[in-house]
Amino acid sequence: MRRTTLKELGQSIERNKAELGYSEQDYVARNSGEFRTESKRALLRNIAAAAAVERGEEPPFKANY
């Protein structure tokens, strides 16, 4: 069995994320939303709309509702 430290594990995870094009804390899992139920889509639309109203702007991202 190979032993690894938490530091080595963290470095390995960061290397893997870099290979996939993710960096630092900018990681966002890719999710097409293809299998979402209509009720979940409606919930996400309402959350996005409420956040936009609170900020006084439209959401800055394209969401897959």
Side-chain angles (χ1 to χ4, degrees):
M1 175 169 31
R2 181 176 182 276
R3 291 181 183 237
T4 184
T5 65
L6 288 177
K7 183 177 180 179
E8 291 171 336
L9 178 60
Q11 291 170 343
S12 173
I13 291 170
E14 289 302 317
R15 277 193 307 272
N16 291 339
K17 285 169 55 175
E19 289 174 6
L20 293 171
Y22 303 119
S23 63
E24 302 296 325
Q25 299 299 320
D26 295 335
Y27 172 75
V28 175
R30 295 180 180 166
N31 184 339
S32 68
E34 180 181 354
F35 300 106
R36 286 193 185 125
T37 64
E38 187 53 42
S39 63
K40 176 72 177 256
R41 292 173 199 264
L43 175 66
L44 293 173
R45 277 192 294 270
N46 290 339
I47 291 170
V53 168
E54 188 173 314
R55 288 188 312 267
E57 61 188 43
E58 290 297 316
F61 55 89
K62 180 185 179 296
N64 295 318
Y65 297 124

